[in-house]
Amino acid sequence: MRNNLVLLKALLLSTSQINILRYSTDAKKRRRIIGGFIGMGCLYVMLMAFCIAFCVGYGVTGMIDAAPTMCTFVISVLAFVFTVFKTNGYLFNFKEYDMLMSLPFEARSVAANKFLYMYIKTLPWYMSISIAMMIGYGFFKQPVFIVYPIWIVLSLFVPVIPMLIASFIGFLIAKVSSGFKKTRIIQTILTFAFVFFCFSIRFIIEALVKNDRMHETLEKTYELTAKAAKVYLPAEWFSYAVTKLAILELVLLVGVSIALFVLVFYLMGNSYRSINSALASHAAAKNYKMTEQKSHSILNAIAYKEFKRMTGSTVYMTNAAMGEIFALIIGVLTLIVGFDKIVGFIMPGAPVTSYDIIQPAIPFILYFFIGMLATTVSSPSLEGKNYWIIKSLPIEMKTVYQGKMLFNMYLSVPFMIVSTVFMCISAKVPVVNMILYLVLGFVLCAFSTARGCVCGIKHLRLDWENEVEVIKQGAGVAIYMFPNLFASVGLAALSVFLGIWIDHRLIAVILIVIAVVLAVLCYRKVLALAGEDR
């Protein structure tokens, strides 16, 4: 146990931003880290405010007893989703594999410590939700004091079970893909398929419920959480432990979490080395032939390098291309099923008399997915220890960043065009409006690309040990993603609202002008930051 704690401590210290802040003398790096902390702090405050508002709704309607159960579900879903996207980079195919496996630790110990490292890194998200909902619950319920420490302690165990389940699924995906020659391609495909299944399971469950004519019983939140807790027992254990001070449920939640942790990593340890070795190897084609080498412009060469970097990493691929694929799927489904049916299915009971008024929101609906995360947010940091090579080349940093932005445009614009055309055809949008929506979509991609590059440069981090730290957990990623998602939803709602009184073409033109101005400002900021990076 002492050796395992030493390994975990070493992993945390080697990537600790606080540790860098304490000992670094680089003022620029210190300001960047402080800015990242402030940005993350703002996101935690926003999340806590949302959870407290959620509890206020429960309290006003007299259903505050459901708050502990809902707290468990929110944390569990978040932990499961986070772990699904991070398992490949943390537990398998990570950069420091050779170094860690050369140390005198068992394979299962290395895997378990990497899991604990991932758990500690994401724990602030879970505790922000838990503490906020505890405050809301305490305000309305006013329980005895002992409930608060029990709530906090058990909150440490709530995300463990869903994280273990997601890790084991990631283990199965890695084990299956390791049996093929092209391991990374198979692993990427399996990961995509599993993520799509997770996103679609909500609609599958809703369809089953409707077929059983039980939809009326699920309209009330209290009944929904009560029924779900009967299926997902950890939610019921947490609820009973904090509301009824049930010792048995408290012991069950803690004991099952620990037992499942031991079991998962015992099973994983038996084939951990072989899976990582297979994922790290590359099969060579038997019929490979040397052909004439093609020359490219500098910008296209940098863009192609970014393409090879993305396709060579399952984490990068699933993170960067997930939104584009979702947009394409929505476009195809809209063309096949019908625009009005898709909108009615996603927003049942919405006060919409005519689906024509939703047409101005089409570019923002697709941008919600395509602009979810630009590759330019993480690509500057992904250079890592190879950054000195770029600095030594006879190429200006302005050109390097322009090449990175060009790749993101190559990736996002085709998906935006195809998806927009499909949705416009299904929604019977006039040709002039469709052209304006295509222009707006292109400009939004340019804005996303430039703004992502600004976030990536301003929060550049080259001392990472695992690419997940900059692809999924970087300060630039959080600062780019969350405001972008909220802005997409807000602009979609605003365009629908304005479309009731204003001509749709006029709305599109106004939004195009605004997006062009913002994209140009962000692009000029990239050039300015590149000029400072000498």
Side-chain angles (χ1 to χ4, degrees):
M1 180 60 69
R2 173 182 289 183
N3 291 338
N4 287 333
L5 291 177
V6 168
L7 178 57
L8 179 60
K9 181 180 179 181
L11 290 173
L12 291 172
L13 289 178
S14 64
T15 59
S16 172
Q17 295 293 292
I18 297 177
N19 205 35
I20 297 174
L21 189 62
R22 287 178 59 190
Y23 298 106
S24 176
T25 57
D26 189 339
K28 185 177 180 181
K29 181 181 291 187
R30 290 172 62 87
R31 287 196 302 268
R32 189 173 295 161
I33 293 174
I34 293 173
F37 285 154
I38 294 174
M40 294 301 295
C42 292
L43 292 176
Y44 293 143
V45 171
M46 292 171 58
L47 182 61
M48 293 180 71
F50 176 79
C51 292
I52 291 176
F54 198 80
C55 285
V56 170
Y58 267 136
V60 171
T61 55
M63 296 189 297
I64 194 62
D65 288 334
T69 306
M70 182 56 67
C71 176
T72 310
F73 280 126
V74 173
I75 293 175
S76 298
V77 170
L78 193 65
F80 184 83
V81 173
F82 277 5
T83 309
V84 163
F85 284 102
K86 296 177 181 179
T87 296
N88 181 67
Y90 272 117
L91 295 180
F92 303 102
N93 203 24
F94 49 90
K95 299 296 182 182
E96 67 273 23
Y97 171 76
D98 292 333
M99 184 271 292
L100 285 180
M101 298 308 292
S102 64
L103 299 175
F105 297 103
E106 295 182 353
R108 63 175 60 93
S109 296
V110 174
N113 276 279
K114 293 291 287 183
F115 174 86
L116 292 174
Y117 174 82
M118 176 170 55
Y119 163 79
I120 292 173
K121 283 289 189 178
T122 53
L123 189 60
W125 292 102
Y126 312 141
M127 294 307 296
S128 297
I129 296 171
S130 178
I131 292 175
M133 299 195 79
M134 181 185 70
I135 293 172
Y137 176 80
F139 178 80
F140 285 98
K141 196 70 176 178
Q142 296 184 355
V144 295
F145 178 78
I146 191 63
V147 168
Y148 298 105
I150 292 176
W151 185 304
I152 293 175
V153 171
L154 290 184
S155 297
L156 299 174
F157 291 90
V158 167
V160 173
I161 294 178
M163 288 183 68
L164 288 171
I165 295 173
S167 297
F168 191 71
I169 293 173
F171 163 70
L172 294 178
I173 292 174
K175 189 171 180 62
V176 171
S177 60
S178 65
F180 295 86
K181 289 184 178 180
K182 296 186 179 296
T183 56
R184 290 188 178 179
I185 296 177
I186 300 299
Q187 189 177 22
T188 302
I189 293 173
L190 291 175
T191 304
F192 269 122
F194 178 68
V195 172
F196 291 141
F197 172 77
C198 291
F199 275 96
S200 62
I201 196 169
R202 173 252 180 182
F203 301 105
I204 296 173
I205 293 174
E206 184 174 324
L208 293 174
V209 170
K210 285 183 178 179
N211 291 336
D212 290 337
R213 296 182 180 180
M214 295 175 59
H215 184 66
E216 295 79 10
T217 61
L218 298 180
E219 291 179 348
K220 295 182 180 179
T221 308
Y222 187 88
E223 294 180 6
L224 174 61
T225 53
K227 287 178 178 292
K230 298 295 182 182
V231 178
Y232 186 66
L233 294 179
E236 187 177 71
W237 297 339
F238 181 85
S239 179
Y240 273 63
V242 299
T243 59
K244 300 181 180 180
L245 302 180
I247 302 300
L248 177 61
E249 280 71 14
L250 187 152
V251 174
L252 280 173
L253 181 57
V254 175
V256 170
S257 300
I258 296 174
L260 191 61
F261 175 83
V262 174
L263 176 62
V264 167
F265 289 101
Y266 175 79
L267 297 174
M268 194 179 294
N270 295 330
S271 52
Y272 192 66
R273 291 179 183 272
S274 59
I275 291 174
N276 275 289
S277 298
L279 294 176
S281 62
H282 302 277
K286 295 181 180 180
N287 58 348
Y288 176 79
K289 295 180 180 180
M290 178 66 74
T291 58
E292 182 181 357
Q293 301 297 303
K294 297 181 180 180
S295 60
H296 299 277
S297 66
I298 295 177
L299 292 180
N300 280 316
I302 296 173
Y304 182 72
K305 170 184 172 295
E306 291 299 318
F307 169 74
K308 297 297 291 183
R309 179 70 178 85
M310 185 183 73
T311 55
S313 169
T314 301
V315 177
Y316 196 10
M317 187 75 172
T318 53
N319 195 66
M322 186 67 69
E324 280 78 2
I325 294 178
F326 267 120
L328 181 61
I329 291 174
I330 290 175
V332 173
L333 287 177
T334 304
L335 187 63
I336 296 173
V337 179
F339 182 75
D340 55 342
K341 292 182 179 179
I342 292 293
V343 174
F345 182 70
I346 295 176
M347 300 184 298
V352 178
T353 56
S354 174
Y355 290 104
D356 293 341
I357 66 173
I358 303 181
Q359 290 179 4
I362 288 177
F364 296 105
I365 293 173
L366 296 175
Y367 179 70
F368 178 84
F369 297 99
I370 293 177
M372 185 183 301
L373 191 63
T375 59
T376 49
V377 180
S378 52
S379 61
S381 296
L382 283 174
E383 299 298 338
K385 298 176 181 178
N386 296 325
Y387 188 71
W388 67 272
I389 298 177
I390 295 179
K391 299 290 290 184
S392 63
L393 294 175
I395 302 175
E396 294 183 351
M397 290 306 299
K398 175 183 69 174
T399 305
V400 173
Y401 292 133
Q402 286 173 335
K404 290 179 181 294
M405 289 189 287
L406 180 62
F407 168 69
N408 191 73
M409 294 295 287
Y410 282 156
L411 177 66
S412 59
V413 170
F415 284 94
M416 173 64 82
I417 292 174
V418 174
S419 303
T420 301
V421 170
F422 285 171
M423 291 193 75
C424 287
I425 293 174
S426 179
K428 299 179 181 179
V429 176
V431 176
V432 176
N433 294 33
M434 183 191 297
I435 294 173
L436 289 174
Y437 294 163
L438 288 171
V439 174
L440 178 56
F442 177 84
V443 176
L444 288 173
C445 289
F447 166 70
S448 172
T449 299
R451 181 174 176 270
C453 199
V454 171
C455 294
I457 299 173
K458 293 188 70 174
H459 300 279
L460 184 68
R461 182 180 177 186
L462 302 173
D463 56 347
W464 51 271
E465 296 293 335
N466 192 303
E467 61 185 8
V468 177
E469 295 171 11
V470 293
I471 295 175
K472 297 296 297 182
Q473 293 181 340
V477 173
I479 293 171
Y480 166 88
M481 185 171 64
F482 288 99
N484 204 53
L485 295 181
F486 291 134
S488 301
V489 175
L491 289 172
L494 178 63
S495 60
V496 171
F497 178 75
L498 294 176
I500 300 175
W501 295 284
I502 303 176
D503 184 80
H504 292 181
R505 287 171 290 186
L506 179 59
I507 295 174
V509 171
I510 294 173
L511 293 174
I512 287 172
V513 172
I514 294 174
V516 166
V517 172
L518 294 176
V520 170
L521 291 176
C522 290
Y523 180 73
R524 291 175 63 87
K525 182 64 175 178
V526 171
L527 298 184
L529 292 172
E532 297 174 2
D533 188 10
R534 298 185 183 278

